[in-house]
Amino acid sequence: MTSRATVTKAVIPAAGLGTRFLPATKAMPKEMLPVVDKPAIQYVVEEAVNSGMSDILMITGRNKRSLEDHFDRVPFIEKTLEDKGDLERLAMVRAASELGEIHYLRQGDPKGLGHAVLRAKLHVGDEPFAVLLGDDLIDARDELLKQMVEVQAKTGGSVIALIEVEPGQISSYGCADISVIEGEDYVRVNKLVEKPSVDEAPSNLAVIGRYVLHPAVFGVLEETGPGRGGEIQLTDALQTLAAQEEGEGAGVYGVVFRGRRYDTGDKLSYLKAVVTLASEREDLGPDLREWLKDFTGTLES
Ligand code: G1P
């Protein structure tokens, strides 16, 4: 595969209420919850930037001002650190405000993920773009998004990321029925269902929060009515594109991801993500791992 493919725009929906993290998210966006020492959203923005996307559009809502503040300069903190000669912390503080061009747009009505993505239509225009959902963190060592960009360029369709899950977990995700394409490292998506019951799920392949989409998805979203939960579902719009055999932006393809993904979408997964990431850090890892070993020894099985 060539490495010339580029997508420069990324859309990050961040308008959700974060009800699964109440009361922590009563006055603070869930995207700002710290994963070790950075807010979850910073990992996602860094991933987009490291994948070549310098233009980020965040779809936000009420109570999300701290997102804008986080990615902005903070002269008085920078000055204090500079005066103290604390260059390490200064670099960390500045890093968040030097991550490229970040734009913000409010979703308005909370009508679902499909609706949030549709809000990006004017900003994105007529080019393929990425969508990154903040609940999924992809390890920086695994270049999933870059691979998806290349598949998009090669196929001309839209590309989703899939993982294999235990059959009982599929109802928490969009689910894909796929066909293997001989000789390729991506699959053809035949059918997509949003959060099917275990009995109705066509496979155990779950959609995770990375997409590289053809702009044809906007026209389809405009025609997509409310689906599961009464919300306009991105999965339903992609199902329409998957069913199209020809035309601009027809077809949906999948990359089956077997790398490191950290789910921060609910309390238990979030705790696991924080412990896993911290235990791999050079600065915190050795002490934390030691402590974890002792600690697990005190747990009754
Ligand atoms: C959304 C999508 C779903 C996908 C999931 C991945 O659901 O609608 O298809 O599997 O993200 O995280 P949500 O988790 O926002 O309800």
Side-chain angles (χ1 to χ4, degrees):
M1 238 180 238
T2 65
S3 53
R4 273 170 294 141
T6 52
V7 164
T8 57
K9 292 181 180 167
V11 176
I12 303 182
L17 296 177
T19 41
R20 275 183 277 187
F21 283 92
L22 282 169
T25 47
K26 200 175 157 195
M28 178 183 109
K30 69 168 176 177
E31 292 80 6
M32 287 301 291
L33 286 170
V35 175
V36 190
D37 53 5
K38 280 191 289 193
I41 190 80
Q42 189 173 336
Y43 290 82
V44 181
V45 172
E46 284 172 354
E47 181 191 340
V49 172
N50 291 336
S51 308
M53 291 142 205
S54 51
D55 177 334
I56 312 249
L57 176 67
M58 262 185 224
I59 311 294
T60 66
R62 268 176 206 285
N63 299 328
K64 302 283 183 171
R65 258 232 2 236
S66 54
L67 292 179
E68 294 189 39
D69 290 343
H70 181 71
F71 292 104
D72 196 4
R73 300 293 296 263
V74 255
F76 77 95
I77 296 185
E78 292 179 31
K79 174 91 179 41
T80 310
L81 293 170
E82 224 168 61
D83 291 349
K84 278 202 221 159
D86 191 344
L87 300 183
E88 203 178 319
R89 286 206 179 83
L90 181 63
M92 286 194 281
V93 166
R94 284 204 176 135
S97 56
E98 289 169 352
L99 283 170
E101 190 69 21
I102 307 183
H103 306 263
Y104 301 88
L105 181 66
R106 286 197 178 190
Q107 183 174 0
D109 299 322
K111 291 198 216 154
L113 177 60
H115 175 255
V117 171
L118 181 53
R119 296 284 288 131
K121 181 183 175 188
L122 268 183
H123 184 88
V124 168
D126 195 23
E127 54 187 277
F129 64 103
V131 174
L132 293 88
L133 306 187
D135 287 349
D136 284 314
L137 304 186
I138 303 295
D139 196 290
R141 294 164 288 187
D142 296 315
E143 300 198 319
L144 171 64
L145 209 50
K146 277 191 190 162
Q147 190 189 348
M148 294 173 72
V149 167
E150 288 179 4
V151 174
Q152 196 288 321
K154 193 164 175 182
T155 60
S158 289
V159 184
I160 59 174
L162 298 166
I163 55 163
E164 284 180 41
V165 296
E166 294 295 325
Q169 294 176 358
I170 197 71
S171 309
S172 306
Y173 298 91
C175 175
D177 174 53
I178 59 115
S179 303
V180 169
I181 307 174
E182 200 63 46
E184 296 294 358
D185 56 0
Y186 57 89
V187 298
R188 160 101 209 178
V189 175
N190 305 317
K191 194 178 164 207
L192 283 163
V193 196
E194 179 66 5
K195 306 200 175 107
S197 67
V198 174
D199 300 341
E200 287 163 357
S203 75
N204 68 334
L205 287 172
V207 177
I208 57 165
R210 296 295 178 273
Y211 307 79
V212 178
L213 303 176
H214 187 282
V217 74
F218 293 126
V220 176
L221 279 168
E222 279 166 341
E223 302 296 320
T224 302
R228 181 160 286 274
E231 296 190 337
I232 297 172
Q233 297 291 350
L234 180 59
T235 304
D236 293 346
L238 291 173
Q239 158 59 21
T240 303
L241 287 173
Q244 288 174 1
E245 287 188 1
E246 53 191 39
E248 192 59 12
V252 176
Y253 301 84
V255 170
V256 181
F257 182 61
R258 297 199 166 82
R260 289 152 285 200
R261 162 183 172 262
Y262 312 101
D263 180 2
T264 61
D266 62 72
K267 288 179 190 174
L268 183 61
S269 313
Y270 167 81
L271 288 171
K272 291 179 189 171
V274 173
V275 173
T276 308
L277 284 163
S279 71
E280 288 177 1
R281 284 259 300 246
E282 262 175 39
D283 52 350
L284 300 164
D287 286 350
L288 180 63
R289 284 198 299 269
E290 268 314 297
W291 177 80
L292 276 172
K293 276 186 222 151
D294 289 347
F295 180 65
T296 48
T298 68
L299 301 176
E300 285 170 31
S301 52

